[in-house]
Amino acid sequence: MAEEEGPAIELRQRKKPKSFENKESAIEEKIDDTAVPERAPKYVLLQRFAKVFIGCLAAVTSGMMYAFYLSAYHERKFWFSNRQELEREITFQGDSAIYYSYYKDMLRAPSFERGVYELIHNNKTVSLKTINAVQQMSLYPELIASVLYQATGSNEIIEPVYFYIGIVFGLQGIYVTALFVTSWLMSGTWLAGMLTVAWFIINRVDTTRIEYSIPLRENWALPYFACQVAALTGYLKSNLNTYGERFCYLLMSASTYTFMMMWEYSHYLLFLQAISLFLLDSFSLEQSDKVHEVYKTYIFSLFLGYLLQFENSALLVSPLLSLVVALVLIKCLQLNVKKGTFVAKIMKVINFYLVCTLTVTLNIIMKTFVPHKENGHMLKFLEVKFGLNMTKNFTMNWLLCQKFLQAPSQDLFLRLTQSSLLPFYILVLIICFLSMMQVILRRINGKSLKETVTLEDGRIGERPEIIYHVIHTILLGSLAMVLEGLKYLWTPYVCMLAASGVCSPELWTTLFKWLRLRTVHPVLLAFILSMAVPTIIGLSLWKEFFPRLMTELTELQEFYDPDTVELMTWIKRQAPVAAVFAGSPQLMGVIKLCTGWMVTSLPLYSDDDLLKRNENVVCEEGGKLTYSKYGRFCHEVKINYSPYVNYFTRVYWNRSYFVYKINTVISFQS
């Protein structure tokens, strides 16, 4: 009789997620089957509903509270509601000012169609240059925001600037909610989501740039990527039912395309994700059909993005497309070989080699036959950054001086350690990575994976979603160690992986299996630690960092920049309508936003022509710098040093800015 009941009990356990709450449910269900069989299904469904309801409520509440926190902090930091419109606008600095200026242009346009046309054929921003601002600067967020502002009748309720930043803050709330859900899916408990949100907010200096540059493309795009990662995590789970799988796939497809439309560099991040899935599939750690369905999503999003982004050739020559096409072609050519045999192992190696070779070949072919301007200066920058080339080029050296393109400082690791994030992340990463390597070695030796891994097995490395996140976080972390600006892609997933690990009984069971713990049952101890450790972490974070967060909301900071306000006021009142301003790219963005006057350059790094306009060095043939016998122009023109006084006339000055007019009567020819 026991032999007949064993398989039935095992089958019921396989259908349940491997979390502490569900393990208790399985035990209680078994007990109730003996006592009152007819009440068991209702009890289990009620328990599951309560767990899902509380988790969803916590996820949504966390996102809303974070959005409200950002709004309150922004108000306190800039004293925003008590400022005049001009003073509010100068809080947008650099490229953020450019993005918001086009949002204003759309609202001033007589119609949406006319506004889009003027942006596509824009000749009122950069002098002597007509640009497609929508394509070149990825202005789809501004187009959507302007449509929503007018279509919802918000122009009668709220000012445009509040509506604009409110959307961005709302997206950040979705960002946090998506990280919450991802951690919940990986650990099986919403306690991990709460810890993820706590670490994200405490380390927000390193997890997001929302406090400094609200309209940045990444602030619009990364929330959609977080939703895509959450959907992909659910899609990769082996115990997902058909309806859940379809929902995750549809959400993943929609968020992938939206993410690609919002940010010009999105396909590079998706390329790293595709590499992670390729490695996951290479060792047969996931069903190949699922992974190739994700590849189809990439291809669909790339070609649809190409069509709707004015035939953006950068998407056609992207490494993502080359890799995905190579993977699909190799998949079609694969032979049906019995798994675990020597021939199968050889075929794996050959397929891996063919994918790498075909990807590079396809990318070279596409770049040869497809006209493109795919950020050639960034490729040259990487060569210089890694010491593969030496240059005296102004643009390259200027980019090397930008803080976000330098290697991260020790302060980053110190801050992450003080919040206890980095130590637990390293612990979780090591355990998951070693468990993953054990699984890979088993596959190499021809051993098949279990259909469903139970908690007692202590094999967290056999779960496809865990392996994907381990590979992905290693790739992102490697890039973040080279360029500090990429830490904003890495650290949010550090919070998520660390929280999901310490809250997962499966991770602790895996560790105890290695240690061969005998004194206490490893599963029982794993349950205890999966609740005790995050609770202790949460209490310590609450005690140390919560007072700081409250202090930030109570302190009233005053943004005071009278010199910039005076300059913008003078330009609007005194400057000729046909005037064109030249200066630092950061200041040019503010001038375009606050005054609407034309400028000579913009603070953008994706356009070679705009970068060349920033160059101001004297070069000989061969690219070597020559040293001028004259002093710096900016210094000598201020002291009216000859001969500059003959060519320039100072028309305005204050403590921070000097404005000079070119004397057009005098010829510059010697």
Side-chain angles (χ1 to χ4, degrees):
M1 193 68 180
E3 293 178 356
E4 294 178 358
E5 292 179 355
I9 295 174
E10 182 182 0
L11 180 61
R12 285 199 302 269
Q13 290 177 346
R14 283 181 177 177
K15 291 182 179 179
K16 298 181 183 297
K18 299 168 283 300
S19 65
F20 175 61
E21 296 90 338
N22 290 328
K23 188 65 181 177
E24 287 185 338
S25 301
I27 297 173
E28 294 176 3
E29 180 184 7
K30 183 177 178 181
I31 296 174
D32 291 344
D33 282 341
T34 305
V36 189
E38 65 276 4
R39 294 184 181 180
K42 294 182 180 179
Y43 177 79
V44 173
L45 289 176
L46 181 62
Q47 186 185 42
R48 289 180 179 177
F49 175 79
K51 175 188 172 183
V52 173
F53 177 78
I54 295 175
C56 292
L57 182 63
V60 174
T61 303
S62 298
M64 293 178 63
M65 290 183 64
Y66 180 59
F68 290 143
Y69 168 80
L70 289 177
S71 179
Y73 179 76
H74 181 264
E75 170 65 26
R76 288 288 178 174
K77 182 178 180 180
F78 296 108
W79 206 15
F80 209 68
S81 60
N82 295 289
R83 296 287 181 181
Q84 299 296 324
E85 182 180 4
L86 179 59
E87 294 176 315
R88 292 175 183 173
E89 291 180 348
I90 64 174
T91 62
F92 296 98
Q93 298 292 321
D95 46 354
S96 297
I98 295 296
Y99 297 130
Y100 182 70
S101 70
Y102 288 121
Y103 168 72
K104 286 181 55 180
D105 291 343
M106 284 296 300
L107 295 182
R108 285 195 293 258
S111 65
F112 177 77
E113 294 78 9
R114 183 62 185 175
V116 173
Y117 178 84
E118 291 179 354
L119 291 184
I120 295 175
H121 307 85
N122 186 277
N123 58 0
K124 299 179 180 179
T125 300
V126 183
S127 64
L128 304 178
K129 186 177 178 68
T130 299
I131 61 175
N132 183 342
V134 177
Q135 178 187 13
Q136 191 166 339
M137 303 179 190
S138 300
L139 297 181
Y140 298 97
E142 282 66 34
L143 298 183
I144 296 173
S146 63
V147 170
L148 292 176
Y149 182 72
Q150 295 175 336
T152 58
S154 299
N155 52 343
E156 300 177 358
I157 304 173
I158 188 174
E159 297 181 48
V161 64
Y162 284 106
F163 185 84
Y164 184 82
I165 64 177
I167 293 179
V168 184
F169 291 156
L171 286 175
Q172 298 307 301
I174 295 176
Y175 193 180
V176 165
T177 300
L179 292 174
F180 184 110
V181 173
T182 305
S183 185
W184 181 11
L185 289 171
M186 292 175 63
S187 64
T189 172
W190 51 264
L191 185 63
M194 299 293 291
L195 185 57
T196 300
V197 174
W199 265 330
F200 181 90
I201 297 176
I202 289 170
N203 295 280
R204 70 186 187 282
V205 175
D206 301 305
T207 57
T208 177
R209 287 197 285 181
I210 187 66
E211 294 180 10
Y212 311 103
S213 303
I214 294 176
L216 286 182
R217 302 300 85 179
E218 65 188 60
N219 292 335
W220 286 89
L222 290 182
Y224 295 102
F225 181 67
C227 293
Q228 191 257 12
V229 171
L232 178 61
T233 302
Y235 185 68
L236 292 176
K237 291 178 71 70
S238 56
N239 60 347
L240 194 67
N241 58 42
T242 304
Y243 295 104
E245 189 173 297
R246 290 177 181 176
F247 173 77
C248 289
Y249 183 77
L250 292 175
L251 177 60
M252 179 183 59
S253 301
S255 54
T256 299
Y257 171 70
T258 308
F259 174 57
M260 195 171 293
M261 292 293 292
M262 291 293 174
W263 196 21
E264 59 182 323
Y265 299 114
S266 58
H267 57 90
Y268 292 113
L269 188 53
L270 292 175
F271 173 66
L272 295 179
Q273 187 182 76
I275 293 177
S276 304
L277 294 173
F278 166 56
L279 295 176
L280 178 66
D281 184 38
S282 297
F283 297 104
S284 299
L285 301 175
E286 177 57 292
Q287 299 177 6
S288 296
D289 294 339
K290 274 191 175 183
V291 175
H292 281 268
E293 287 298 322
V294 181
Y295 295 158
K296 294 178 183 178
T297 299
Y298 292 149
I299 295 177
F300 173 78
S301 299
L302 282 168
F303 281 105
L304 188 59
Y306 168 76
L307 295 176
L308 296 183
Q309 290 183 0
F310 306 94
E311 299 183 355
N312 185 6
S313 59
L315 297 180
L316 295 183
V317 300
S318 66
L320 174 63
L321 181 61
S322 301
L323 174 62
V324 173
V325 172
L327 289 168
V328 173
L329 291 176
I330 298 300
K331 175 69 174 180
C332 297
L333 298 176
Q334 280 182 349
L335 300 176
N336 292 325
V337 181
K338 185 177 180 181
K339 295 182 179 181
T341 63
F342 177 76
V343 177
K345 297 176 183 179
I346 296 298
M347 289 301 298
K348 282 289 184 182
V349 177
I350 294 176
N351 287 337
F352 189 88
Y353 171 77
L354 288 177
V355 168
C356 297
T357 305
L358 188 57
T359 299
V360 175
T361 303
L362 288 175
N363 195 251
I364 293 175
I365 293 174
M366 294 298 289
K367 289 184 177 180
T368 302
F369 292 98
V370 177
H372 67 284
K373 294 181 180 179
E374 192 217 357
N375 300 320
H377 62 279
M378 293 304 295
L379 298 178
K380 295 178 182 177
F381 166 78
L382 293 176
E383 292 179 359
V384 177
K385 180 71 176 180
F386 291 109
L388 302 177
N389 190 10
M390 298 296 293
T391 181
K392 296 292 185 179
N393 181 269
F394 169 81
T395 300
M396 294 300 103
N397 288 283
W398 180 62
L399 290 174
L400 286 172
C401 293
Q402 303 302 309
K403 187 178 184 232
F404 70 94
L405 292 177
Q406 297 177 1
S409 62
Q410 295 181 354
D411 294 339
L412 168 64
F413 307 104
L414 181 61
R415 289 191 298 268
L416 297 181
T417 302
Q418 288 176 342
S419 64
S420 72
L421 173 60
L422 189 60
F424 283 105
Y425 167 74
I426 294 175
L427 173 65
V428 172
L429 182 63
I430 291 175
I431 295 175
C432 292
F433 180 78
L434 293 178
S435 181
M436 181 185 73
M437 295 305 297
Q438 282 185 332
V439 175
I440 293 175
L441 291 176
R442 291 193 190 100
R443 297 296 297 151
I444 294 176
N445 293 330
K447 298 180 180 178
S448 60
L449 301 179
K450 295 186 65 175
E451 182 181 347
T452 300
V453 181
T454 60
L455 181 61
E456 293 82 358
D457 293 329
R459 296 180 182 179
I460 195 172
E462 287 194 11
R463 292 173 55 188
E465 67 274 17
I466 296 292
I467 300 171
Y468 157 71
H469 280 287
V470 168
I471 299 174
H472 200 189
T473 190
I474 290 176
L475 293 177
L476 291 176
S478 301
L479 294 177
M481 296 303 103
V482 178
L483 302 175
E484 184 175 4
L486 296 180
K487 70 179 180 181
Y488 301 105
L489 304 177
W490 175 60
T491 47
Y493 297 97
V494 170
C495 301
M496 182 270 300
L497 185 63
S500 63
V502 297
C503 295
S504 173
E506 209 167 357
L507 181 129
W508 296 109
T509 305
T510 302
L511 177 61
F512 297 149
K513 284 288 185 180
W514 293 342
L515 299 177
R516 297 184 179 180
L517 189 65
R518 301 295 183 185
T519 56
V520 183
H521 196 281
V523 176
L524 177 61
L525 185 59
F527 281 140
I528 296 174
L529 289 180
S530 64
M531 292 186 295
V533 172
T535 302
I536 295 173
I537 295 173
L539 291 176
S540 63
L541 294 178
W542 178 278
K543 180 179 179 181
E544 182 175 358
F545 293 97
F546 183 75
R548 301 184 189 180
L549 297 177
M550 293 297 100
T551 301
E552 291 176 350
L553 294 181
T554 55
E555 287 183 350
L556 183 61
Q557 305 178 41
E558 185 174 1
F559 180 78
Y560 187 67
D561 191 2
D563 292 346
T564 303
V565 173
E566 290 177 3
L567 174 62
M568 300 304 151
T569 303
W570 178 84
I571 293 175
K572 295 173 71 173
R573 294 178 179 177
Q574 303 294 331
V577 178
V580 177
F581 287 86
S584 67
Q586 302 298 320
L587 180 60
M588 295 301 99
V590 180
I591 290 178
K592 169 63 175 68
L593 168 61
C594 298
T595 68
W597 260 249
M598 296 182 67
V599 296
T600 58
S601 63
L602 294 174
L604 299 173
Y605 305 100
S606 58
D607 186 270
D608 292 331
D609 181 65
L610 293 177
L611 287 173
K612 289 178 182 178
R613 288 178 175 231
N614 296 326
E615 294 187 18
N616 190 26
V617 295
V618 179
C619 299
E620 290 182 348
E621 293 184 3
K624 295 182 179 180
L625 290 176
T626 59
Y627 295 92
S628 174
K629 62 182 179 180
Y630 301 103
R632 293 187 68 235
F633 167 77
C634 293
H635 173 71
E636 298 197 1
V637 74
K638 287 180 182 179
I639 60 176
N640 294 327
Y641 187 81
S642 180
Y644 301 119
V645 68
N646 298 323
Y647 305 123
F648 301 93
T649 300
R650 184 161 57 192
V651 294
Y652 174 82
W653 68 95
N654 60 26
R655 293 176 301 176
S656 303
Y657 302 104
F658 292 79
V659 181
Y660 294 86
K661 180 182 70 173
I662 298 178
N663 299 330
T664 55
V665 177
I666 300 177
S667 173
F668 281 90
Q669 298 180 357
S670 57

